[in-house]
Amino acid sequence: MTLKELWHRLGSPRWFYRISGPLAWVLGILALVLLVSGSVWGLAFAPPDYQQGNSFRIIYIHVPTAIVAQSAYMLMGVAGAILLVWRMKMADMVLAATVPFGMTMTALALFTGAVWGKPTWGAWWVWDARTTSMLVLLFLYFGLYALRQAIPRQETAGRACAVLAVVGVINIPIIKYSVDWWLTLHQGATFRLTEAPAMPPEMWIPLAVNVLGLYCFFGANLVGRLRAEIVRREARTAWVRALAAGELQTAREVSEDEVLRMGPGPGAGR
Amino acid sequence: MSGAGLFVAQFRREWIASLRSLQEAFNPLVFLFLAVTLFALGVGVQPEVLGGIAPGVIWVLVLLANLLALDGMFRRDFDDGTLEQLVLLGRPLFLPVLAKMAAQWCLTGLAMTVLAPLAALLLYLPAGVVDTAMLTLLAGSPALTLFGAVGAALTVALRRGGVLLALLVLPLYVPTLIFGAGAIDLAMAGSDVSAQIYLLTAISMLAVTVAPFAAQAALRIGLEQA
Amino acid sequence: MSFASFGEFLNMGGHALYVWLSYGAAAGVMLYNWAAARRQQRRALQDVLDRMRREAGGRADGRAGRGDEER
């Protein structure tokens, strides 16, 4: 399959639905294995930090969530650009499916950061450069979520969110840079504990495993939500109706006869 | 009509329209000074306290006053169908949108820059840094209007867009606020602030290249909803 | 293993509250996301099924009506 063909196929919800079932399972199982092993490794086997003791083990969950939350926003920016330029239906679905996941991940990163800050810095909230950037990111997510809720027509809402996501992605590097500068202006370098001085491998390998695991979880979750979006938006097409009829039969809720009677709907062909 | 002609015509139209409803154009400026007064009343008037927070207060209030002005930016043209006419012309909306932004900036960012010494006086900002304050406002406020216009365009078709507009736009104002207020702070400490002024200008330049296209796309999307 | 006993592992050198609170919250958020995706898939399919049932129901009633007339 050439790249161009793949591109065209990615635009087809039906094709994506067909191949994505196993994909979700593979990614989900990978995520489970990686996250469990990375967390157990980080929690029980990695040596304690010489300064922070055992509370540093929170980074095995905090850092991956923060990374994935930012990647999710970047993905939305790319999806938004694709939607605006090529009007690809799937891009809008990716936008819609990523917002809730990214929002919860950003909130989780902020929460774990606060819980980490308490034993490390002695305060639940410290205006550290990364926490502050994450807070602004959370507001960006809220904006996207609110905009989609506010616009009743689905297609219009999708394209409006795409514009906002693209403008947001362009602004994120500037926001990060400005917040970094703001911190040096107001607090000096005292709170720069986040920059761990050269982690030994037995500390960072579990971190890398968890980062990879959370990316897999993101992938699995995105595919799962996309499949739901596809069924919801393509509910009137023949192939989704055939799919639903198949579901019914395997669930033994109806007989073959009843399914046949319902038929595949207008413009059929199963 | 040539490109420049289109721009000038649209700008003049905007200008005449706002001269007809001067009160509306003044409202954000009145809000700015009202809020400055509230700050003095709330924080107290010890010169070192009020003067110390003045850079941040001025910049935050400028952001909020800008935000208030944004809500009406495309609303009237949207309601009376002018916007639809513009789209139906089939020409790119880029220049008319840019002209609207320029007119909006003259009424908010530029006006606030001119009035900044007055706000600085009320907030006991040291006289030596007033020129820096004006310079940061001049360099940074175009970005506020430009990014804000994208939010205004996205919410133009929504009946109750006010709070949503704030939610969409304020996070994008973060860098401008940080560099603007930070530069005045630095100037109060006696440092050189040319780097911050350049950064503010760079953000505004980036906004000029991005925002008109984004606002144009958002307006077309908004018209679909109507 | 960097802990001598299971009790010590649970205690996390006195930081048990912070460490387990973080991991608990993380598990909660991930479970929520997993359940939300699953629920959405179920509901989306269920909605299609319901619509098909409604349409089929209408058609079946029509048929039954004709049958009654014949009898």
Side-chain angles (χ1 to χ4, degrees):
Chain A
M1 191 191 307
T2 67
L3 215 59
K4 203 174 169 194
E5 276 169 19
L6 180 72
W7 178 249
H8 281 294
R9 288 204 176 165
L10 270 178
S12 148
R14 183 179 182 179
W15 179 79
F16 183 83
Y17 194 92
R18 213 180 60 223
I19 61 140
S20 63
L23 186 67
W25 276 105
V26 169
L27 283 173
I29 289 165
L30 255 174
L32 192 68
V33 170
L34 286 172
L35 282 174
V36 167
S37 54
S39 298
V40 169
W41 192 347
L43 277 170
F45 295 93
D49 187 75
Y50 74 104
Q51 267 184 325
Q52 305 169 27
N54 285 310
S55 67
F56 102 99
R57 296 177 196 283
I58 294 173
I59 67 160
Y60 292 120
I61 206 68
H62 169 70
V63 171
T65 39
I67 291 176
V68 169
Q70 293 177 45
S71 304
Y73 202 92
M74 294 295 155
L75 176 72
M76 287 198 295
V78 174
I82 291 175
L83 176 66
L84 290 176
V85 176
W86 288 287
R87 303 239 172 156
M88 197 188 256
K89 261 194 276 182
M90 287 293 297
D92 181 22
M93 296 189 203
V94 169
L95 262 174
T98 312
V99 172
F101 179 84
M103 206 157 68
T104 51
M105 281 297 136
T106 314
L108 180 63
L110 279 171
F111 179 78
T112 53
V115 174
W116 180 35
K118 182 63 183 159
T120 312
W121 294 324
W124 291 106
W125 181 260
V126 169
W127 289 95
D128 160 76
R130 295 176 191 197
T131 19
T132 312
S133 300
M134 285 311 279
L135 188 62
V136 177
L137 185 68
L138 184 64
F139 288 131
L140 285 172
Y141 271 117
F142 275 137
L144 270 177
Y145 185 77
L147 186 63
R148 189 175 284 276
Q149 296 296 314
I151 301 177
R153 243 188 78 199
Q154 186 163 273
E155 200 203 336
T156 318
R159 294 209 289 131
C161 285
V163 171
L164 189 64
V166 170
V167 173
V169 164
I170 292 171
N171 270 278
I172 277 184
I174 312 173
I175 292 174
K176 284 183 88 83
Y177 177 70
S178 68
V179 168
D180 279 347
W181 179 77
W182 168 77
L183 196 78
T184 59
L185 176 70
H186 288 283
Q187 285 178 330
T190 24
F191 279 112
R192 288 264 162 135
L193 268 175
T194 8
E195 213 75 70
M199 269 192 189
E202 63 267 33
M203 274 173 139
W204 68 254
I205 292 176
L207 184 60
V209 170
N210 260 4
V211 170
L212 207 64
L214 200 61
Y215 269 114
C216 288
F217 182 74
F218 175 34
N221 195 251
L222 182 61
V223 170
R225 286 179 192 264
L226 274 177
R227 286 168 69 82
E229 284 288 325
I230 289 171
V231 172
R232 209 162 57 77
R233 295 192 189 189
E234 309 274 295
R236 289 171 193 285
T237 62
W239 73 270
V240 168
R241 294 172 71 100
L243 182 92
E247 274 308 288
L248 260 187
Q249 254 186 301
T250 44
R252 292 185 187 284
E253 283 181 32
V254 285
S255 61
E256 171 86 18
D257 183 49
E258 196 191 341
V259 172
L260 279 177
R261 191 141 41 80
M262 285 189 222
R270 297 163 72 186
Chain B
M1 206 186 290
S2 72
L6 201 64
F7 180 88
V8 170
Q10 182 69 26
F11 187 85
R12 189 179 291 154
R13 215 184 66 81
E14 291 298 317
W15 198 245
I16 291 168
S18 37
L19 283 183
R20 280 206 196 112
S21 52
L22 261 186
Q23 182 54 44
E24 210 175 306
F26 278 142
N27 280 345
L29 303 174
V30 176
F31 166 82
L32 179 67
F33 282 93
L34 176 62
V36 163
T37 312
L38 293 181
F39 248 99
L41 292 174
V43 176
V45 291
Q46 294 105 312
E48 63 280 8
V49 177
L50 200 55
I53 61 166
V57 170
I58 289 179
W59 259 99
V60 169
L61 294 183
V62 165
L63 298 192
L64 296 179
N66 255 292
L67 188 69
L68 285 184
L70 282 176
D71 199 38
M73 188 173 174
F74 295 114
R75 175 100 350 140
R76 192 182 40 216
D77 281 1
F78 181 81
D79 286 343
D80 68 11
T82 317
L83 215 53
E84 200 160 5
Q85 295 271 311
L86 270 178
V87 171
L88 287 179
L89 279 179
R91 270 194 291 256
L93 280 178
F94 181 85
L95 281 172
V97 167
L98 196 64
K100 277 188 91 67
M101 289 165 164
Q104 175 84 0
W105 177 72
C106 288
L107 290 171
T108 54
L110 188 61
M112 287 173 203
T113 307
V114 172
L115 291 172
L118 199 54
L121 186 77
L122 291 175
L123 287 169
Y124 294 150
L125 190 75
V129 299
V130 171
D131 54 339
T132 312
M134 290 179 74
L135 210 54
T136 58
L137 284 172
L138 191 66
S141 56
L144 304 183
T145 304
L146 288 159
F147 283 131
V150 179
L154 281 172
T155 53
V156 72
L158 304 173
R159 278 300 119 200
R160 265 170 265 144
V163 185
L164 180 63
L165 177 61
L167 196 56
L168 302 186
V169 163
L170 285 179
L172 304 178
Y173 283 0
V174 166
T176 310
L177 167 71
I178 287 177
F179 288 122
I184 308 178
D185 268 334
L186 274 184
M188 278 165 72
S191 312
D192 175 50
V193 295
S194 44
Q196 280 66 48
I197 303 288
Y198 289 142
L199 280 167
L200 284 171
T201 316
I203 296 172
S204 290
M205 287 293 130
L206 177 78
V208 170
T209 56
V210 173
F213 291 105
Q216 176 187 347
L219 283 175
R220 288 184 196 277
I221 295 166
L223 282 170
E224 277 175 20
Q225 292 174 63
Chain C
M1 194 76 175
S2 76
F3 295 96
S5 69
F6 190 66
E8 242 178 72
F9 170 67
L10 283 184
N11 188 38
M12 280 287 156
H15 289 143
L17 171 69
Y18 306 116
V19 173
W20 297 119
L21 192 60
S22 310
Y23 277 82
V29 166
M30 282 180 216
L31 273 178
Y32 162 76
N33 271 302
W34 177 74
R38 218 178 151 69
R39 197 191 57 225
Q40 282 169 14
Q41 285 189 46
R42 289 251 168 90
R43 185 174 296 167
L45 265 180
Q46 196 57 52
D47 284 351
V48 178
L49 286 176
D50 286 349
R51 182 179 295 145
M52 285 167 72
R53 279 226 172 90
R54 264 201 314 278
E55 288 168 10
R59 233 181 292 163
D61 287 349
R63 247 181 234 171
R66 274 199 304 276
D68 283 343
E69 278 170 20
E70 277 171 22
R71 227 173 279 150

